[in-house]
Amino acid sequence: MNIIDFDTRIGRQKPNSLLREEACPFCDREHLTDIIAEEDGMILLKNKYNVIVGADQFVLIEGRECQTDMPDYSREKMRHLISFGLHHWQKLMHSGRYEDVLFFKNFGPLSGGTIRHPHMQLVGFPKLDRSCLSLPEYFDGPLIAEKNGVSLRLSQKPRVGFWEINLQTERLYQTESVNTLADFIQLSVDYFMNHFSRRGQSYNIFFYHEGDKKIMVKILPRYATSPLYIGYGIRFRPTSLEEAEKEIRQLYFQDSKE
């Protein structure tokens, strides 16, 4: 397993606009520092609160607006965001400084995040055991849609439990595939937050890679985690998986031939 120190001294200083009435640091753009790249309202910068000892943390601010999120974005903005994020993720991975770079998003009070303003995170680890990060079977499941080399599946063997949507592509450097990946991420988040049987307030997105081209994305709503998973590692698979599959098809792919 990967056990890495968390600097609690720095952690105590982190702002929390989700659980406390605090000013949003990402809205205060004039005082942002260590900016690496900026494009159409998106900003990539070094994380001011680098709580993971030995790693380099980065924040990707998704835009200027605070009280919005992925389901509200135009298709063009969503595609631009994912393209921007994938580009800098790949750039960090090929920098030679890291064993691996994690790319993910926390949104909502149960996601593990602290800032409401929509953002993603990248963490570069000089040393990390990649074999502990994921297993191929976490991405197995019934195929719902496939387009431009991007597949969308419900997880048959969830990593944590219950509901997870998996995306996968081996065409990372093709614009049509990146655009489709962005479209599928957006509809997955929209489903969990606006149409799911238990309408959500929190979710996570995790990006994984195999080599330079094949990437997988896992999107999951966040609720209180099952105590049987926390204590014993038991993952639950919902018996209504087929119902959710039909619902997603009806909502997003009814008029599609894909």
Side-chain angles (χ1 to χ4, degrees):
M1 65 180 70
N2 288 303
I3 298 180
I4 298 169
D5 288 336
F6 183 98
D7 193 324
T8 53
R9 180 185 59 83
I10 296 176
R12 295 189 193 102
Q13 302 171 24
K14 290 180 65 176
N16 191 327
S17 65
L18 272 175
L19 302 178
R20 299 192 294 264
E21 292 186 7
E22 294 185 1
C24 174
F26 297 159
C27 288
D28 187 11
R29 291 186 163 231
E30 293 183 0
H31 294 93
L32 294 176
T33 59
D34 295 319
I35 293 175
I36 298 168
E38 191 168 358
E39 192 173 307
D40 290 344
M42 300 177 292
I43 296 178
L44 177 70
L45 70 163
K46 291 184 178 179
N47 195 324
K48 186 176 180 180
Y49 301 94
N50 209 94
V51 296
I52 303 176
V53 176
D56 293 331
Q57 294 180 247
F58 306 89
V59 174
L60 195 171
I61 301 173
E62 296 177 16
R64 295 180 179 277
E65 295 185 30
C66 190
Q67 299 300 317
T68 185
D69 192 41
M70 286 180 172
D72 308 315
Y73 297 166
S74 68
R75 176 172 288 188
E76 291 72 21
K77 175 178 172 56
M78 185 68 191
R79 290 176 171 182
H80 196 177
L81 170 65
I82 296 303
S83 178
F84 183 78
L86 291 175
H87 170 74
H88 288 286
W89 183 37
Q90 295 289 308
K91 191 173 181 179
L92 286 170
M93 285 196 292
H94 291 117
S95 67
R97 301 197 301 268
Y98 308 112
E99 184 77 23
D100 205 356
V101 180
L102 306 188
F103 182 26
F104 59 96
K105 174 170 179 170
N106 307 323
F107 184 88
L110 296 177
S111 68
T114 57
I115 302 296
R116 168 61 178 83
H117 197 121
H119 67 285
M120 307 174 85
Q121 298 185 58
L122 299 100
V123 184
F125 290 90
K127 293 183 179 180
L128 196 69
D129 185 351
R130 293 194 63 247
S131 66
C132 298
L133 300 180
S134 184
L135 295 173
E137 53 261 39
Y138 293 158
F139 300 93
D140 291 341
L143 179 67
I144 296 177
E146 190 167 17
K147 181 180 179 181
N148 295 325
V150 184
S151 63
L152 185 153
R153 301 175 184 270
L154 278 172
S155 185
Q156 188 73 26
K157 298 179 180 179
R159 178 185 178 94
V160 176
F162 293 101
W163 304 101
E164 300 177 5
I165 290 178
N166 300 323
L167 311 178
Q168 187 169 302
T169 184
E170 295 188 25
R171 301 180 184 176
L172 180 57
Y173 298 107
Q174 296 185 17
T175 300
E176 289 184 350
S177 297
V178 173
N179 286 343
T180 299
L181 184 71
D183 295 346
F184 283 1
I185 292 173
Q186 187 175 37
L187 74 83
S188 300
V189 173
D190 180 69
Y191 175 66
F192 285 137
M193 298 296 281
N194 295 317
H195 298 283
F196 196 46
S197 58
R198 293 179 62 193
R199 193 164 178 174
Q201 294 182 319
S202 306
Y203 68 89
N204 288 119
I205 302 175
F206 301 106
F207 292 79
Y208 308 83
H209 70 95
E210 289 183 12
D212 288 337
K213 294 184 178 179
K214 183 177 180 179
I215 67 168
M216 297 82 74
V217 184
K218 184 175 283 291
I219 305 106
L220 61 155
R222 291 297 304 275
Y223 304 101
T225 307
S226 163
L228 295 186
Y229 175 75
I230 297 296
Y232 305 102
I234 295 174
R235 300 163 170 83
F236 288 104
R237 179 175 56 219
T239 58
S240 54
L241 207 63
E242 188 174 336
E243 295 173 19
E245 179 184 349
K246 290 179 180 178
E247 186 177 35
I248 293 172
R249 287 183 185 276
Q250 290 173 354
L251 284 168
Y252 303 104
F253 301 103
Q254 193 170 19
D255 299 325
S256 175
K257 296 181 180 179
E258 301 297 336

